[in-house]
Amino acid sequence: MGLIIELIITFIATVAFGVIFSVPKRALLIGGAIGMITWGILQTVQMAGANPVVSTAVASLTAATFSHLLAKRIRIPVTALVIPGILPLVPGSRAYFTMLSFVEGDYLNGLEVGVQTMLQAGAIASGLVLALAIFSFGKGIGHRYEPNR
Amino acid sequence: MGKADDVMDICMLAGEIMLTYGAETYRVEETLERIAKSASFKNVHCFATATGIFLSFEENKEKDDLMQMVRIDDRMQDLNKVTEVNQVSREFVSGELSIPDAHEKLLAISKAPMQYPLWVIHLAAGFAGSGFSYLFGGGWFDLIPAFIAAVISSLIVVELERHLKVRFAAEFTAAFSGGSVAILLVFIGLGNNLDQIIIGSLMPLVPGVPLTNAVRDLMSGDLLAGMARGAEALVTSLAIASGIALTISIFL
C-alpha cells in the first residue's frame, strides 16, 4: 500500500519536473510513467537486499532503456524522456546530509555520506552509458584499428 | 552563392536554437551535417562546444568554401524547442520542406514563447518539491510547507536570472531563501521534518539538463563539451549547497 502511494507521488512529481524542463506535451505522461517504473524498480531491488548503489544502477539502466525504446516510437529526442525518467534517482537527500554534516563540523560522517552520494551519482551515469552502448550497437564509433581499409 | 548562403543560415539558426535550449552537442553536430549534406554540399564539417558552433562546407569541389560560426551566450532549458527543430530537420532532409519554408519554420520556433506560462512552471516546481519531500521520508503534513518553499525558490531563481548577469548567483540566492522559508515555516509550526522540507525546496534547482548532457557528450566523444557541461552542473550544485549551508549556519 505504501509503495502504491509512493508510485502515484513519483508520477506526479516526475510530470511536474517534465513541465519545469518544458518537455513536449505528448511526452509528459510517458516521462511520468518512466519515472514511476524507475522508482518501483529502485524500491523492489532494494527490498530484495541489494545495496543502494547497485539498485540505482539497475533502475537507471531500466529508465534509459525504456526511454530509448519509446523515444524512437514517438520520434522525440531521447533526452526529453531520460531527464524526467532518472530524476527520482537523484541522491538529493544524501547530498543534503553530506552538507549538513560538514556544516555541523562532523567531517568523518560528512565524508562517508559524501562518498555514498558520489557513488550513487556514478551509478546513474553508468546506467545511462550502458543503455547508450546497447542502443548504439552496430554504429561502431570506437574502433581502434582500421584493418579493412 | 545564393543557395549556399541560405542553407548556411538555416544550419546556423537550427544549431543556435538547439544548443541554447539544451540539446546535446553530438545532436547539434549530427543535425547540421545532415542538413548540409542533404542540400548536396561536399566536405561538411561541424564542430560544436557548449558555447559556440563552427560549420564549414564547399559548394563545388575545391572552391566556393563557406565557413561560419555562432556564439551561444545563453543556456536555457526548453526541450520542446529542441524537439521541434529536430522535426524540421527531419522533414528538410527527407525533402518535404523547401529551403524558404524551413527557414520560416525555424524563425517561428525561435520567436515562439514557451509552451507553458511561467505560473504553471512555478506551480510544477511546487508539486515536484513536495512530492520529493514525501519520497525522501517526509510525512503528509510536510507536503504543504515543502510546496510553499519550492515555489518560492523557483520564483526567485527565475526572476533573478532575468536581471542578474552573474551566473550561479541566482541559484545561490534561491537555495538560501528556499531554506530560510522552510525553517521559518517549521518554526511557526507548519511541518515536522525540517530536513525533508529543505530537500524538497531544493529539488526544483537540480541541474538535470547539464548533468545528463555531460554524460552523453563525454560518452559520444565530445570531450570538450562534456567537460564544460560537467563543470556547469558541478558549479550549480556547489552554489545550491553553499546557499543552503549559509541558511543552516545562520538560522539553526
Side-chain angles (χ1 to χ4, degrees), chain B residues 72-122:
Chain B
I72 313 293
D73 286 318
D74 303 313
R75 283 187 297 288
M76 297 176 245
Q77 46 191 31
D78 189 342
L79 296 175
N80 188 39
K81 289 195 173 180
V82 177
T83 313
E84 281 176 359
V85 173
N86 215 32
Q87 188 62 35
V88 170
S89 98
R90 198 175 277 144
E91 284 171 13
F92 182 79
V93 169
S94 67
E96 292 166 36
L97 276 179
S98 65
I99 294 176
D101 285 350
H103 195 248
E104 215 160 88
K105 269 199 165 176
L106 287 173
L107 273 181
I109 293 173
S110 96
K111 287 204 182 102
M114 277 195 65
Q115 61 171 343
Y116 307 109
L118 264 183
W119 64 268
V120 175
I121 289 189
H122 294 318

Side-chain angles (χ1 to χ4, degrees), chain A residues 93-143:
Chain A
S93 164
R94 284 219 167 81
Y96 169 75
F97 285 113
T98 309
M99 207 257 336
L100 194 64
S101 304
F102 278 123
V103 170
E104 286 169 348
D106 189 355
Y107 297 115
L108 212 57
N109 191 31
L111 281 179
E112 191 185 325
V113 188
V115 169
Q116 283 177 350
T117 314
M118 300 299 270
L119 282 178
Q120 202 173 333
I124 300 177
S126 72
L128 285 180
V129 170
L130 200 54
L132 184 65
I134 295 169
F135 280 91
S136 62
F137 191 80
K139 286 183 187 164
I141 43 170
H143 203 318

Side-chain angles (χ1 to χ4, degrees), chain A residues 7 9-40 42 59-60 62-68 70-71 74 76-90 124 128, chain B residues 22 24 77-80 83 115-116 124 128 132 135-136 203 206-213:
Chain A
L7 286 180
I9 287 185
T10 316
F11 183 79
I12 296 170
T14 319
V15 170
F17 257 112
V19 174
I20 293 178
F21 294 129
S22 181
V23 305
K25 277 175 188 148
R26 61 204 154 106
L28 260 186
L29 293 181
I30 300 174
I34 292 177
M36 205 162 83
I37 294 169
T38 313
W39 184 262
L42 179 74
S60 157
T62 321
T65 309
F66 271 108
S67 308
H68 276 277
L70 290 170
I74 59 173
I76 61 169
V78 187
T79 355
L81 289 181
V82 166
I83 293 176
I86 59 162
L87 262 165
L89 304 174
V90 170
I124 300 177
L128 285 180
Chain B
E24 314 98 304
Q77 46 191 31
D78 189 342
L79 296 175
N80 188 39
T83 313
Q115 61 171 343
Y116 307 109
F132 274 101
L135 290 180
F136 284 136
M203 281 309 278
V206 168
V209 176
L211 262 179
T212 324
N213 284 349

Side-chain angles (χ1 to χ4, degrees), chain A residues 103, chain B residues 175-184 187 194 198 243-252:
Chain A
V103 170
Chain B
F176 177 75
S177 20
S180 309
V181 168
I183 292 175
L184 182 76
F187 184 71
L194 177 61
I198 293 180
I244 205 73
L246 189 64
T247 329
I248 290 174
S249 36
I250 290 179
F251 295 116
L252 276 187

